[in-house]
Amino acid sequence: MQEKNFHNLIFKSTRIFGASHLVKVGTKVITNKIAAIYLGAVGIGIIGIVENLLSILFGLVNFGLTSSSVREIALLNYETEEAKAKESRMISIIYYWSLFSGFLGAVFFVLISYSFFKNTYPTDSSYLWFVSIALYFVFFALFSARMSILQGKREINKMVQIQVVISIIQMLLAIGCYYFFGLNGIAIAILFTAIVSFLVVYFSTKNTIRVEKNNLTLKQVFSEGLPMVKLGIILSLGTLINQLAFYVIRLFLKDFLSIEALGVFQVSYTVLVGYLGIIFVVMSNDFYPQLCNLESDKPTFEKYINDQTQFALYLVVPLVLLMYLIAPQLVVLLYSNSFLDVLLILKIALIGLIFKTIAWPIGFISLVKGNKKLFFKQNLLSDIINVVCSVVFTYYFGLKGLGMAFALMFLVSLFYNFFTVNKNYNFSYSTETKRIIVLSMVIGAIALLSFNWFDFSYMNPVIWGLFILTSIYAVVKLKNKIQS
């Protein structure tokens, strides 16, 4: 029996989601440029810390429904009428729980908003606009519920269409708000983006995702949704701790260095997670639900993870090298000369993306298997390392310490994740995957060593050579894999 090749499937889903996320990144680039012009480093820093706070609160009150609901929907067998009825009931339960979490988030935000506002915003800013963000939680919770259901059902085209429309609207709203309202526009843009996002996804899915009463009582909604929520709470704790980790780092930078340094950190975070992290976002849209479907077939399950790891490295390694060549010009183009200190962070942090690419696919194994404790431990370890190393390394090495912490976090996560999944599920990489992993790490090490002799710029001949070779190699290998 011929072994199934997943590269073609991965390529198709990556291509589809990649198109929408390229639009998303493009609109984000324009938005950040406008923010840099009209709000400056202080405004960029405030945007980062406000978004961080919202992520923490949403992670706290959402019970991990955005992830656990994907798993529940993906595991259903749609070939039977019983499963279709179960899906209808499950959708209603997810929706009601999401609505409750949205109102809970709004209440929590109102309670802490004044103290946060006074410690973050300049004195001439409007608290009234800031506290109105409370409504964001209600609309974003309902938006997330519908998007999670679409992801679980693997309705890729519908998700892509929605993401493209929302990205464009979000950009236009943010630009208008920053231009007309300055720092107050940050809160206004967040609120109206959440409202519009919900309206777009609602009218796009009202015929396919119907929230029916199904004669459900509150007791039934609670009891039948509780297993999903129990898994979700572990996931939400992981997300919450992750956001708390970055929040602690941001507070440390603000107090130990300056609000401008916070802006520089936000730019590095945007480049590493918002722009380059597009690969992980794109792949996770289809990788996670597909992995859930393959969970009971161990050989196919492991083959899919191996193929995903190879595919991701073929994309990420050349992209990291390209960023080493163009980052100085890109930072000036996207922001301004005042943000060039971000290069101190990126010099080492970019290597961390290679480690993340290897650690990322195997990090899903414990989640798919329903091992909540192991998944939580994996994420907790990386967050602890991130906070401790960021604070200690920044204290001794300045901004470049943040890059060191980022790389070390994913290197340790890689070894720990592999050790745990190998021990608990007897997972192993194929010989080919091991070879590609070792080659990728060697290339990353050579690139980093080249800065002992050459600058971080497009004039680095070592990086140019590595970029050309890895690009050709990746294109040839992917072409052969996809066509086989």
Side-chain angles (χ1 to χ4, degrees), residues 14 22 50 88 95 106 126 141 144 152 159 173 185 211 217 222 299 301 323 336 344 351 390 397 406 419 425 459:
T14 302
L22 281 176
V50 169
S88 176
Y95 215 69
S126 170
S144 298
M159 289 179 67
L173 283 172
V211 182
T217 64
F222 176 79
F301 183 80
M323 186 58 65
S336 68
L344 297 171
I351 298 299
S390 293
F397 304 106
F406 185 88
F419 171 78
Y425 308 110
M459 298 294 288

Side-chain angles (χ1 to χ4, degrees), residues 57-166:
L57 287 180
F58 189 75
L60 180 66
V61 303
N62 186 245
F63 313 114
L65 290 171
T66 50
S67 295
S68 60
S69 58
V70 172
R71 182 177 185 272
E72 292 299 318
I73 298 294
L75 288 174
L76 292 175
N77 180 1
Y78 295 101
E79 295 179 359
T80 65
E81 289 298 323
E82 181 183 355
K84 292 178 181 178
K86 186 177 180 181
E87 182 204 71
S88 176
R89 193 175 182 89
M90 181 61 68
I91 288 174
S92 298
I93 291 170
I94 291 170
Y95 215 69
Y96 289 135
W97 270 96
S98 297
L99 185 62
F100 168 69
S101 73
F103 281 111
L104 189 62
V107 172
F108 277 14
F109 183 81
V110 170
L111 293 175
I112 69 169
S113 60
Y114 186 76
S115 176
F116 178 88
F117 176 80
K118 284 297 183 182
N119 290 316
T120 306
Y121 275 78
T123 54
D124 58 343
S125 301
S126 170
Y127 171 68
L128 182 61
W129 276 116
F130 182 74
V131 76
S132 68
I133 294 179
L135 293 174
Y136 155 90
F137 290 93
V138 177
F139 290 102
F140 189 69
L142 297 179
F143 163 80
S144 298
R146 286 185 174 265
M147 290 299 287
S148 296
I149 293 166
L150 284 178
Q151 185 179 352
K153 291 163 68 69
R154 299 188 68 217
E155 294 194 17
I156 296 175
N157 290 331
K158 181 68 70 175
M159 289 179 67
V160 167
Q161 293 169 9
I162 292 171
Q163 288 170 348
V164 168
V165 172
I166 289 176

